[in-house]
Amino acid sequence: MSRIGKQPVALASGVTLTVGGDNTITVKGPKGTLTQAIDRDIKVEVNGSEVLVTRPTDQIRHRAMHGLYRSLISNMVKGVSTGFTKQLELVGVGYKATNTGNTLDLSLGYSHNIIFDVPSEIKVVTETLKGQNPKINLEGSDNQLLGAVAAKIRSLRKPEPYKGKGVRYSDEFIRRKAGKAAGK
C-alpha cells in the first residue's frame, strides 16, 4: 500500500466533500469551492468526517495515482478551510513591486516595467518597507494555481548565484558562487 494513499483525509469543520457520478470531487468550504477530476479506477469514500482513497489493484499505474489523488484531495480540503500563502522577495538595487487590484507592476532591472495579471482566484499584496527588500504576498485556496503563479513571477528574473539578485521565495536559500577574482 502507498504510505501516503492509505492515510485518511480529515475534513475540517464547515468543509463538505462530494463525489460526482463521473468521479469528480467537489470540496466546499469557507474560502471557496474547488473541483478535481479523479481517475475512474480510484475510489473515494466519505465516512463521516474523513475521506478514504482506495485503489483496485497493485498495478504500477494504480499505485502511482493512489498517493497523488490523496494528496490532491488533502490540499483541496486544506485550501478551502485555511488557504495557502506564498511570499516572494525582490533582491536587487532598484527592484520594485506595486499592485493595483490583481495587476502586478514589476520593475526588475529591464528597460521596461513588467505588467503581470494575476488570476482573480489569488489575492495579491505588495509591501515595501524602508531598509528591506520589496515583498509580494500571494494568497489563495488552490495550491496548484498558487504555485504556478508564484513560479511564473519568479521566472521573470531568477536569482543568480554571484550577487544573489532576482526574485526568490522568502524561505529559499541561494547557493553563492565566488567570482573570477577568487581563483587567483
Side-chain angles (χ1 to χ4, degrees):
M1 280 300 263
S2 167
R3 281 184 287 185
I4 294 173
K6 67 182 176 183
Q7 297 173 356
V9 178
L11 291 177
S13 61
V15 175
T16 60
L17 186 137
T18 56
V19 182
D22 55 346
N23 233 12
T24 303
I25 304 293
T26 305
V27 182
K28 293 180 183 173
K31 298 250 182 190
T33 304
L34 295 174
T35 58
Q36 175 71 44
I38 302 288
D39 190 83
R40 61 186 177 344
D41 293 337
I42 303 295
K43 301 286 180 251
V44 179
E45 302 168 4
V46 181
N47 297 333
S49 66
E50 63 180 25
V51 180
L52 292 173
V53 180
T54 56
R55 65 177 186 237
T57 66
D58 278 341
Q59 291 179 8
I60 292 174
R61 189 175 83 82
H62 292 153
R63 288 195 328 233
M65 291 186 297
H66 189 202
L68 166 76
Y69 286 126
R70 189 261 176 210
S71 293
L72 290 177
I73 292 170
S74 175
N75 283 343
M76 290 166 60
V77 169
K78 184 178 176 193
V80 297
S81 60
T82 59
F84 292 100
T85 60
K86 291 236 185 237
Q87 188 175 46
L88 296 163
E89 189 175 347
L90 280 63
V91 179
V93 177
Y95 287 11
K96 293 181 225 159
T98 57
N99 71 309
T100 309
N102 271 21
T103 303
L104 199 57
D105 186 3
L106 299 169
S107 175
L108 298 175
Y110 295 114
S111 61
H112 58 284
N113 284 2
I114 298 170
I115 307 297
F116 187 83
D117 290 324
V118 178
S120 60
E121 296 91 359
I122 295 178
K123 183 181 169 215
V124 180
V125 177
T126 57
E127 62 177 316
T128 306
L129 299 173
K130 189 170 177 97
Q132 293 182 0
N133 295 323
K135 291 183 175 36
I136 302 169
N137 295 317
L138 303 170
E139 291 181 30
S141 60
D142 190 352
N143 197 19
Q144 294 178 32
L145 180 65
L146 185 70
V149 169
K152 179 64 179 169
I153 293 171
R154 183 181 180 273
S155 73
L156 297 173
R157 177 71 91 171
K158 287 187 181 170
E160 52 96 16
Y162 296 102
K163 292 187 178 178
K165 296 179 1 179
V167 180
R168 67 172 76 164
Y169 298 111
S170 62
D171 57 353
E172 183 179 12
F173 174 75
I174 306 298
R175 283 190 53 200
R176 302 292 295 272
K177 289 183 179 178
K180 288 194 280 186
K184 293 182 180 180

